[in-house]
């Protein structure tokens, strides 16, 4: 879980660094071809949106760029998982297991971890030295970070109507993201989260289902 959070944070730094200089290139640790790969991954983002994303990430909330706060949100996005972890069960009420190269583990589910995590974050934000406005910005990113993932999963269950269900869900999500003033960052956090599942600069299979441009 911690390793995933580190990968998501690293992916968020890479993505944000593509759009803004407020994220240190030193932190990004770019290989030479990284910018071209990000351009390929974000091929549906046109020049107008690139400019808009740059403008948003360079805005400052009480002296700190939204880009840097976005990276912090990426690192903290799953803090609700330990508190919500429960074992997944088979149809016979046995533990679901999954194996790795270093052992076999009980598969877990983390129901409502985004809601719980957002509330947990409120409890530690002051200790992190965050202002009230900075806190609410990160709180919203944590709270809503799973919306697109849920939309993809629900669309898969719809089978023949998959594309229509996904499009309608994304339209509703976009309205909420814009109302919360986190539209670009929330979408980029979804991308970083997807990259963090693979352990490299590539997206998990979930991203392939977002065929229509979301920006």
């Amino acid at each position: 879980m911690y390793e995933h959070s580190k990968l998501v944070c690293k992916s968020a730094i890479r993505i944000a660094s593509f759009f803004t200089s407020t994220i240190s290139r030193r932190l990004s640790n770019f290989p030479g071809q990284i910018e071209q790969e990000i351009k390929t991954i974000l091929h549906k983002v046109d020049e107008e949106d690139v400019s808009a994303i740059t403008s948003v990430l360079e805005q400052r909330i009480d002296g700190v760029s939204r880009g840097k706060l976005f990276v912090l949100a990426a690192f903290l996005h799953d803090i609700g998982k330990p508190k919500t972890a429960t074992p997944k069960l088979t149809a016979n009420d046995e533990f679901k297991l999954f194996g790795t190269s270093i052992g076999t583990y009980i598969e877990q589910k983390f129901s409502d971890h985004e809601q719980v995590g957002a509330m947990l974050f409120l409890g530690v934000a002051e200790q992190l030295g965050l202002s009230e406005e900075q806190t609410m910005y990160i709180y919203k990113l944590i709270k809503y970070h799973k919306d697109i993932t849920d939309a993809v999963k629900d669309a898969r269950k719809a089978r023949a109507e998959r594309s229509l269900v996904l499009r309608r869900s994304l339209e509703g999500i976009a309205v909420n993201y814009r109302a919360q003033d986190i539209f670009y960052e929330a979408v980029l956090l979804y991308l970083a989260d997807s990259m963090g599942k693979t352990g490299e600069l590539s997206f998990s299979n979930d991203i392939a289902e977002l065929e229509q441009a979301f920006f």
Side-chain angles (χ1 to χ4, degrees):
M1 194 177 305
Y2 175 61
E3 288 302 317
H4 167 68
S5 293
K6 287 199 299 183
L7 286 170
V8 174
C9 183
K10 185 175 182 179
S11 299
I13 290 172
R14 287 176 164 179
I15 292 174
S17 296
F18 173 69
F19 295 103
T20 173
S21 60
T22 64
I23 305 298
S24 171
R25 292 270 172 170
R26 177 174 53 81
L27 292 176
S28 305
N29 194 23
F30 281 3
Q33 76 279 18
I34 193 73
E35 289 195 15
Q36 184 57 48
E37 290 178 351
I38 291 178
K39 286 180 181 178
T40 301
I41 290 169
L42 301 178
H43 68 281
K44 291 181 179 177
V45 185
D46 58 28
E47 290 185 10
E48 184 177 341
D49 275 310
V50 168
S51 177
I53 294 170
T54 298
S55 176
V56 165
L57 292 180
E58 291 184 348
Q59 289 175 13
R60 293 185 175 271
I61 300 177
D62 293 333
V64 180
S65 73
R66 287 172 63 134
K68 289 183 178 179
L69 294 172
F70 160 73
V71 171
L72 179 57
F75 183 65
L76 297 173
H77 78 291
D78 275 346
I79 60 172
K81 279 191 171 181
K83 192 169 183 177
T84 59
T86 55
K88 287 186 178 181
L89 301 176
T90 67
N92 297 322
D93 288 333
E94 297 175 345
F95 290 140
K96 279 189 174 182
L97 304 176
F98 69 95
T100 70
S101 59
I102 60 174
T104 300
Y105 302 89
I106 297 174
E107 192 171 346
Q108 304 281 330
K109 60 181 178 180
F110 309 96
S111 300
D112 297 322
H113 76 271
E114 66 280 10
Q115 310 289 336
V116 172
M119 294 305 297
L120 287 173
F121 167 71
L122 290 181
V124 301
E126 187 174 353
Q127 298 174 44
L128 296 175
L130 298 169
S131 70
E132 182 175 347
E133 192 173 351
Q134 291 168 348
T135 296
M136 290 311 299
Y137 171 79
I138 294 174
Y139 166 83
K140 289 184 288 188
L141 285 175
I142 294 174
K143 181 178 180 179
Y144 298 113
H145 82 266
K146 194 166 168 280
D147 286 2
I148 299 178
T149 299
D150 288 342
V152 170
K153 289 180 179 178
D154 289 343
R156 286 176 178 172
K157 297 174 184 177
R159 296 184 181 178
E161 298 179 351
R162 177 179 301 180
S163 179
L164 177 60
V165 170
L166 182 57
R167 184 169 66 252
R168 287 177 175 172
S169 295
L170 292 180
E171 288 172 354
I173 291 169
V175 169
N176 182 52
Y177 282 175
R178 292 189 186 281
Q180 300 293 336
D181 190 27
I182 56 169
F183 178 73
Y184 288 115
E185 297 99 311
V187 178
L188 294 178
L189 180 53
Y190 169 75
L191 301 183
D193 197 6
S194 179
M195 291 168 72
K197 294 173 183 174
T198 65
E200 56 188 31
L201 186 67
S202 61
F203 290 134
S204 65
N205 292 333
D206 288 353
I207 202 69
E209 303 211 34
L210 293 180
E211 294 180 357
Q212 53 273 74
F214 192 54
F215 288 110

